[in-house]
Amino acid sequence: MKNILVTGGAGFIGSHTCVELLNENYNIVILDNLSNSKEGAIERIKTITGKEVKFYKVDLMNLFETEKVFEENQIDAVIHFAGFKAVGESVQKPLEYYENNIGGTFNLIKAMKKYNVKNIVFSSSATVYGVNNKVPYTEDMPTSATNPYGYTKVMIEQILSDIAVSEPEWSIVALRYFNPIGAHESGLIGENPNGIPNNLVPYIAQVALGKLDALRVFGDDYATPDGTGVRDYIHVTDLAKGHLAALKYVEGNPGFQPINLGTGKGSSVLEVLHAYEKACGKELPYNVTPRRAGDIAESYAQTGLAKKLLNWEAKLDIEKMCQDSWNFTIKNPEGM
Ligand code: NAD
Ligand code: UD1
């Protein structure tokens, strides 16, 4: 399987995955409507790898245009990143989230069926573990959600698993990402949130740049070692490499398989803040505020299945994640 369609390939995780695919000599076609990314990301993928990339500015909601991409290219497998991803926004705009994430996936599946492509790696999320499971999360735990974004992931996993039952030649992996952070070490591609970031590391990066005054630590009274929330942060380059391992897996393994991509190690908000201070060489101001609604105390992966099925494990530590985030941030103070 050498010809890969990457939906959402101009985005944060997609662009890093494209770099790793090109480095391993895959041919890639990127489909992205640029709703949350810029075409410049495609140029930067080319600069980093020195390779050519075919790009279609296409919206998955447009079935005709999506099918055309399959018509014009021989595709062996799809990595499906495209979707909306902001939890808070999904609560404000549930219809847009269900329509784009689930509707976009429907069209993609229809086009795949028409062109007889039956291998897909889907971007799921640790958010499907909901609030009732106990860490470390294992893939056999029941899934649930607390917001429309999370429900789109739960529902798409269900849809994909139903397809694998009804058409046993399909080979589907749902990768449940934990908390992807960091950036490519070139500093050319990274995370580029619009407006004030919601997620921890992009927020800290803006504080380090001097664009935001201080980090608000959302609660220090959790049952965790220092009282602040614990998450399984994973370097986006490690995550990207996990997709290459998953592509190899789908080649010979029909069915539906969810797999965690995390490090298995939790870091607290204050640990991440201190690692970032080390990376940027200055003290960063913070104040403790009440807990953020919907947050859980801790989330981290059981990583054994990824090791067993994909022969993949994360290698980069929180220091490297913060160094690469900072390197990207100072090289792109106004974003990409
Ligand atoms: P991103 O927003 O940077 O990338 C998503 C890309 O999809 C964007 O380039 C956007 O323009 C494109 N897109 C959105 N809707 C589209 C449509 N209808 N047609 C074509 N293109 C469309 O997000 P990301 O952080 O790279 O996340 C990629 C995937 O991983 C998403 O599905 C997200 O839900 C999932 N995920 C992300 C995280 C995270 O923390 N970043 C965690 C778990 C899961
Ligand atoms: C959030 C989403 C999750 C999604 C993930 C993708 C919520 C409730 N969860 O996960 O569904 O899959 O992003 O990126 O939105 N924190 C602060 N101050 C901040 C920001 C965050 O203290 O300004 C803390 C949070 O309370 C949490 C940790 O930092 O303990 C990580 O937060 P964040 O980066 O937003 O990720 P999650 O909440 O794990």
Side-chain angles (χ1 to χ4, degrees):
M1 286 196 314
K2 273 290 166 195
N3 303 314
I4 313 299
L5 173 66
V6 185
T7 77
F12 172 45
I13 305 169
S15 58
H16 289 79
T17 303
C18 288
V19 165
E20 299 304 322
L21 287 166
L22 291 166
N23 284 342
E24 292 295 317
N25 296 317
Y26 284 91
N27 303 316
I28 64 171
V29 175
I30 297 177
L31 178 161
D32 199 301
N33 65 359
L34 303 180
S35 57
N36 196 37
S37 51
K38 301 213 175 79
E39 194 158 352
I42 311 281
E43 293 310 312
R44 290 175 177 216
I45 292 168
K46 293 184 195 166
T47 305
I48 294 169
T49 60
K51 303 232 166 102
E52 263 320 299
V53 175
K54 211 163 168 186
F55 172 57
Y56 287 85
K57 184 171 184 292
V58 162
D59 192 324
L60 281 179
M61 295 308 293
N62 185 328
L63 179 60
F64 178 77
E65 295 279 328
T66 300
E67 286 183 346
K68 222 166 88 188
V69 176
F70 285 84
E71 174 72 42
E72 291 177 7
N73 299 278
Q74 163 71 40
I75 304 290
D76 299 318
V78 177
I79 307 183
H80 178 34
F81 294 103
F84 294 156
K85 64 162 181 177
V87 172
E89 188 184 58
S90 80
V91 177
Q92 306 304 319
K93 301 177 179 174
L95 287 180
E96 278 93 329
Y97 270 68
Y98 288 117
E99 185 171 35
N100 189 59
N101 291 6
I102 298 177
T105 303
F106 277 155
N107 282 346
L108 176 65
I109 297 289
K110 282 183 196 162
M112 289 176 70
K113 277 175 82 115
K114 186 166 171 182
Y115 289 89
N116 206 29
V117 181
K118 296 190 168 166
N119 299 307
I120 179 167
V121 175
F122 169 64
S123 298
S124 189
S125 167
T127 198
V128 302
Y129 290 111
V131 291
N132 295 321
N133 290 307
K134 290 213 160 54
V135 287
Y137 296 138
T138 54
E139 290 83 348
D140 56 0
M141 287 175 168
T143 59
S144 66
T146 54
N147 55 72
Y149 165 74
Y151 278 113
T152 69
K153 295 299 181 193
V154 171
M155 290 176 189
I156 293 169
E157 281 202 8
Q158 184 64 49
I159 292 163
L160 294 174
S161 116
D162 292 342
I163 293 172
V165 170
S166 72
E167 299 183 37
E169 63 282 14
W170 277 72
S171 189
I172 304 169
V173 168
L175 295 176
R176 294 177 177 165
Y177 312 151
F178 280 70
N179 288 56
I181 61 168
H184 190 263
E185 59 178 3
S186 64
L188 283 171
I189 52 173
E191 195 168 7
N192 211 11
N194 291 324
I196 296 178
N198 294 309
N199 295 118
L200 179 64
V201 170
Y203 199 103
I204 294 178
Q206 298 286 304
V207 174
L209 258 189
K211 289 194 169 184
L212 292 169
D213 291 341
L215 173 69
R216 293 163 305 162
V217 174
F218 296 145
D220 66 354
D221 56 352
Y222 286 106
T224 59
D226 66 16
T228 66
V230 165
R231 296 291 183 273
D232 186 342
Y233 298 93
I234 174 167
H235 196 296
V236 63
T237 296
D238 271 334
L239 192 72
K241 290 181 174 163
H243 291 75
L244 274 69
L247 270 185
K248 293 201 176 93
Y249 178 83
V250 288
E251 201 167 355
N253 292 285
F256 172 79
Q257 183 64 60
I259 304 178
N260 290 339
L261 292 188
T263 65
K265 183 182 176 303
S267 302
S268 74
V269 174
L270 291 179
E271 282 171 337
V272 176
L273 181 73
H274 296 321
Y276 215 98
E277 289 180 325
K278 217 168 126 193
C280 71
K282 52 189 162 194
E283 244 180 69
L284 299 173
Y286 72 92
N287 44 67
V288 178
T289 69
R291 294 178 179 191
R292 180 171 66 179
D295 273 357
I296 49 177
E298 44 182 1
S299 159
Y300 52 89
Q302 170 67 257
T303 57
L305 196 65
K307 176 83 182 128
K308 182 173 156 211
L309 299 184
L310 307 183
N311 194 26
W312 169 92
E313 60 190 333
K315 298 210 158 58
L316 305 172
D317 61 16
I318 195 80
E319 272 75 30
K320 175 72 173 152
M321 299 180 214
C322 292
Q323 280 161 17
D324 287 341
S325 163
W326 179 236
N327 180 43
F328 171 75
T329 304
I330 39 168
K331 286 188 170 148
N332 304 273
E334 305 305 323
M336 272 166 65

